[in-house]
């Protein structure tokens, strides 16, 4: 796949730590007011992704092999004492 041409947009962080997502980025991601987004720290920078709604995500894992899903006992052993009632 050929690398996508990236625009050099610089945004300013406001006094209350908000940034405005440039219009072309909102359009490209299909963002609408109220959508959820995730900021993921990766290799010294952030990746910004749109989080799909439950309706959009429905069926995403159809046909997934679940034979290696851990059992409850495995989760309890790995959790250790930090999850114990205290």
């Amino acid at each position: 796949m050929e690398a996508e041409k990236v625009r050099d947009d610089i945004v300013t962080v406001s006094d209350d730590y908000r940034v405005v997502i440039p219009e072309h980025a909102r359009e490209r991601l299909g963002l609408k007011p109220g959508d959820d987004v995730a900021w993921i720290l990766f290799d010294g920078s952030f990746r910004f992704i749109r989080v799909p709604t439950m309706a959009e995500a429905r069926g995403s894992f159809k046909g997934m092999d679940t034979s290696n899903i851990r059992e409850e006992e495995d989760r309890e052993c790995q959790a250790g004492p930090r999850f114990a009632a205290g």
Side-chain angles (χ1 to χ4, degrees), residues 37-58:
V37 295
W39 296 80
I40 300 170
L41 182 59
F42 180 79
D43 199 21
S45 64
F46 279 101
R47 297 205 175 182
F48 174 80
I49 61 168
R50 181 179 169 274
V51 177
T53 64
M54 290 301 286
E56 292 169 336
R58 185 170 287 121

Side-chain angles (χ1 to χ4, degrees), residues 29-82:
L29 292 172
L31 290 177
K32 299 176 294 304
D35 283 350
D36 289 326
V37 295
W39 296 80
I40 300 170
L41 182 59
F42 180 79
D43 199 21
S45 64
F46 279 101
R47 297 205 175 182
F48 174 80
I49 61 168
R50 181 179 169 274
V51 177
T53 64
M54 290 301 286
E56 292 169 336
R58 185 170 287 121
S60 296
F61 299 108
K62 187 176 183 177
M64 181 177 139
D65 178 12
T66 59
S67 62
N68 66 346
I69 301 296
R70 295 184 311 208
E71 297 296 327
E72 186 66 30
E73 183 178 328
D74 292 334
R75 284 190 283 259
E76 289 173 3
C77 289
Q78 291 178 4
R82 67 187 176 129

